[in-house]
Amino acid sequence: MIARRPETMPVPEAVLRPQLSAGGRLQVSTLGFSFTPEAGGTRWPHPWKPSLSGRTLRIARGIVDGLWTPQIAGKPMTEALLELKPEVQNEKGESWAALEVEPNKDGLLDQDSRVEIVHTKEGRSVDPKVGRWHLCLILWNGQAAQQVLPIAMFNPRYERFQPEAGQGAVRHLFL
Amino acid sequence: MSVRFPTLGGGGARVTQGIGRQSFTARGSGGKWRHPWFTALRHEQGQWTATVKPGFVNGQCPIVRTTALEQGADAKDFGTNPLTGKKYFSDPVFNGGQTVEPKLVRVDVPLYLSPRLTMSWRPLGWDGPPGSQVPEFFANLGAGSQPRIDLSAPEVNLDLLPQPPEGLRLLRVCDVVLHQPRLALTSTLNVLPGLLTGGFAAQQTLSLLAPPAGDSLRLFSGVFQPPVEIDPTAFDFTEQPFDERLVARCYLLSPPKTPQLSEPDATWTPYVQHFLFWNLEYQTPSFQQVPGDDNIQFIPPLAGGVAQIVINSITSQLNDATQRAFNQIVARSMAGTHWTATGGGHSSVFPEPETASAAGRRGLAHATNLRERSLAADLARRATRLNPAFPYEARGASTTLFSS
């Protein structure tokens, strides 16, 4: 909002200047005072933030291990939308957009590793080669994707933990 | 604010012209962002209920086990049939043959459908159980803790019992708890007497117990019980087959001068203290296999077989001790770990600044004095609120995830 000072009015004295409390921003220019209210935290562009449009999903950019930007159908996630298929939903009408990673033999991600966002109805991966981390939940009403709920809100670090023989399964940890 | 020039309202703000003054009203572009697990209390249909913003554990949304009646479904009462003396439509023929009324059948409702949690309030403070103390936040608002009465004294004069302070406010509390089923570690001890051999065999067996059928990741209201740790030196124990996390602690504060033991109504003020702010990951540790049987097998007869009874007894005790040692080493709880994937950093709490020494306060230690004043103001600000400010602290990942 801008408070304009007409030419006929005297310059306001310092004591008459608007005083701010917490949560606002006040700027002074030759036009007067400009007050920007707090947005109330309504918009928080966190990583992996999903937005649904029909049967496509746009996901805000996220980074794995501080280095790797996932791909969607072979393109960087910043340039592609995730296609949602109605047949990929469970009996409760739920599906997920999930990050899948395939580390190298040392359990690390490198430039040849698959770091991809997929549409799935599967839970956590039990495949020792593939780690899966759910980014958002998609709720279906029949053939229509009705709502998306964000799950991931931070950029993760990936670790594969290989226990000793006979002491359990491989674990894919997103920390 | 007082200005001497006209103002114009822009986007997100409104200017109201009053007598000799103008007021600004600023609004955001929508509702305030709420973190996962945000719990809100509401009074409707004569009772306080809670709704929780969906949170996730390993990408799964918890359920709430509830009934249609608890969810406020149409509870129209058609009255009593004068011929039978029973409620109209209470005959099983109206109920598909079920013996339970449909509104009382328990169903699992996912949290993203915003089910209502029915709260079971328990008193805290003045009219609460003996010794119950109220948090300082509520003490500052007028809630009184229970007076300490020495019941061990030979005579308690009822006339001298402390009277409620003027304007006393009562407090009720109820927890919202996240319930996570998991495998549980059990230990059983079998003692096998061997009269002929002169010894005995005591074998401790570690095994896993599955959670009860039908148990699932869910949210419930009630009392949060901190987990009980197992004692690996005990012979027989069974872990609880679940992990629980406190999501939020809900409080209701009464108006002043409310009669003791009153039921909360719409005049009470709700407060919520949150303990979870972010979606969670969950892992349980691996079950450790007990090493193979290394019992001492055979010792040839000595002293013409006369000493065999003594030998058997000693070797039996040695075997038992070995088995117990193995079990104590591997008897690690199957309790899982919850954490939030934040890439490493998970704390928004800054370390406490060093307090100034007495010597530092002397003279012109302006910087020290300012820092102390700032710290005191910060502590005072924290004391006036139940929940921390954004960014909220997250649960960190445990290094035990990497141990095998």
Side-chain angles (χ1 to χ4, degrees):
Chain A
M1 188 195 66
I2 296 177
R4 295 179 186 279
R5 178 174 62 83
E7 295 296 324
T8 55
M9 290 287 180
V11 176
E13 299 170 12
V15 70
L16 294 177
R17 289 189 175 189
Q19 300 296 312
L20 263 190
S21 59
R25 190 159 60 99
L26 186 68
Q27 291 174 298
V28 183
S29 68
T30 53
L31 293 172
F33 299 104
S34 169
F35 173 68
T36 307
E38 183 190 32
T42 53
R43 294 184 183 188
W44 179 36
H46 59 77
W48 319 106
K49 186 172 185 176
S51 53
L52 185 65
S53 175
R55 284 188 190 169
T56 58
L57 193 67
R58 180 184 297 281
I59 300 176
R61 184 180 184 183
I63 301 174
V64 186
D65 280 354
L67 280 175
W68 315 111
T69 301
Q71 296 197 326
I72 296 176
K75 293 181 182 175
M77 65 179 296
T78 50
E79 302 170 11
L81 303 176
L82 183 66
E83 296 287 336
L84 303 177
K85 296 175 183 172
E87 58 269 24
V88 183
Q89 60 175 300
N90 61 20
E91 67 280 2
K92 298 178 188 170
E94 300 170 339
S95 66
W96 288 266
L99 173 75
E100 285 191 351
V101 297
E102 286 186 33
N104 61 20
K105 61 181 174 58
D106 297 320
L108 301 172
L109 298 180
D110 59 23
Q111 57 188 2
D112 297 325
S113 300
R114 183 170 77 92
V115 182
E116 188 178 16
I117 294 176
V118 298
H119 183 213
T120 180
K121 62 177 177 181
E122 304 293 331
R124 285 299 154 103
S125 170
V126 291
D127 186 337
K129 292 181 180 176
V130 179
R132 185 178 300 122
W133 191 52
H134 295 94
L135 303 177
C136 59
L137 173 68
I138 300 141
L139 300 177
W140 292 83
N141 183 8
Q143 299 290 304
Q146 201 168 38
Q147 191 182 0
V148 61
L149 298 170
I151 298 175
M153 296 178 181
F154 302 99
N155 291 320
R157 186 161 61 87
Y158 170 75
E159 294 280 349
R160 188 184 72 178
F161 177 60
Q162 180 93 45
E164 294 175 12
Q167 298 294 342
V170 172
R171 296 173 181 210
H172 305 276
L173 302 176
F174 291 86
L175 305 171
Chain B
M1 186 192 70
S2 174
V3 291
R4 292 185 294 177
F5 48 88
T7 53
L8 300 173
R14 189 161 51 90
V15 180
T16 308
Q17 192 70 43
I19 300 173
R21 67 174 60 183
Q22 294 167 318
S23 66
F24 295 81
T25 306
R27 61 168 173 78
S29 57
K32 187 174 175 63
W33 181 84
R34 301 294 190 191
H35 59 79
W37 314 108
F38 181 86
T39 304
L41 290 172
R42 187 181 303 171
H43 187 267
E44 51 190 2
Q45 296 180 352
Q47 64 174 349
W48 284 94
T49 57
T51 51
V52 182
K53 185 178 175 185
F56 294 86
V57 182
N58 284 354
Q60 303 296 319
C61 189
I63 55 109
V64 172
R65 200 152 280 173
T66 182
T67 64
L69 191 63
E70 289 177 354
Q71 297 305 309
D74 180 22
K76 188 170 183 179
D77 188 359
F78 290 91
T80 305
N81 187 336
L83 296 177
T84 62
K86 296 180 181 176
K87 291 261 184 199
Y88 278 114
F89 303 109
S90 63
D91 194 277
V93 72
F94 297 108
N95 196 13
Q98 298 180 26
T99 54
V100 182
E101 193 177 346
K103 292 187 184 112
L104 299 178
V105 174
R106 300 206 81 78
V107 290
D108 293 343
V109 182
L111 206 53
Y112 52 70
L113 295 179
S114 302
R116 287 186 287 189
L117 280 167
T118 305
M119 312 296 275
S120 49
W121 300 101
R122 60 185 192 277
L124 192 68
W126 190 272
D127 60 350
S132 74
Q133 302 288 307
V134 301
E136 187 183 354
F137 177 85
F138 294 104
N140 294 338
L141 292 174
S145 293
Q146 189 152 69
R148 296 183 186 280
I149 304 170
D150 187 9
L151 296 176
S152 62
E155 291 183 5
V156 178
N157 189 345
L158 296 178
D159 295 334
L160 296 180
L161 286 178
Q163 296 300 309
E166 188 69 22
L168 172 70
R169 305 177 77 178
L170 305 177
L171 196 61
R172 301 287 180 267
V173 63
C174 183
D175 298 332
V176 177
V177 183
L178 176 68
H179 177 90
Q180 172 97 47
R182 64 165 168 86
L183 296 172
L185 186 70
T186 66
S187 168
T188 52
L189 184 71
N190 294 318
V191 180
L192 307 172
L195 295 176
L196 294 178
T197 60
F200 66 92
Q203 190 173 29
Q204 188 187 16
T205 307
L206 295 178
S207 58
L208 291 179
L209 177 72
D215 199 6
S216 59
L217 179 68
R218 62 189 166 91
L219 222 62
F220 69 90
S221 63
V223 184
F224 171 69
Q225 301 283 2
V228 180
E229 294 191 358
I230 60 168
D231 176 12
T233 61
F235 290 122
D236 281 287
F237 59 81
T238 300
E239 269 192 314
Q240 54 191 17
F242 56 82
D243 284 322
E244 288 183 347
R245 297 278 172 212
L246 181 57
V247 174
R249 182 156 284 165
C250 303
Y251 295 95
L252 287 179
L253 187 64
S254 78
K257 299 180 181 175
T258 302
Q260 295 184 37
L261 302 175
S262 296
E263 284 297 316
D265 58 19
T267 61
W268 293 47
T269 310
Y271 293 87
V272 180
Q273 183 179 18
H274 290 92
F275 293 87
L276 284 183
F277 300 93
W278 303 111
N279 295 322
L280 297 168
E281 310 288 311
Y282 179 75
Q283 280 279 350
T284 53
S286 303
F287 178 64
Q288 307 293 306
Q289 300 288 339
V290 178
D293 187 10
D294 293 325
N295 286 355
I296 302 168
Q297 296 295 328
F298 175 72
I299 297 176
L302 300 175
V306 176
Q308 193 61 43
I309 293 177
V310 178
I311 290 170
N312 284 347
S313 177
I314 292 173
T315 53
S316 175
Q317 289 175 22
L318 283 173
N319 289 337
D320 296 346
T322 307
Q323 182 72 30
R324 268 204 310 279
F326 278 138
N327 287 352
Q328 286 176 22
I329 291 169
V330 302
R332 198 173 58 185
S333 168
M334 294 298 288
T337 301
H338 284 102
W339 78 95
T340 299
T342 58
H346 55 265
S347 175
S348 61
V349 178
F350 293 100
E352 293 288 343
E354 293 178 9
T355 54
S357 63
R361 290 200 195 92
R362 292 198 200 102
L364 300 175
H366 292 307
T368 307
N369 291 338
L370 282 174
R371 196 166 63 233
E372 282 205 341
R373 220 175 298 163
S374 168
L375 175 62
D378 185 43
L379 291 175
R381 205 164 37 242
R382 283 190 212 173
T384 59
R385 53 198 309 171
L386 278 177
N387 289 315
F390 185 88
Y392 311 115
E393 193 173 2
R395 296 187 64 86
S398 169
T399 52
T400 58
L401 292 167
F402 301 103
S403 59
S404 63

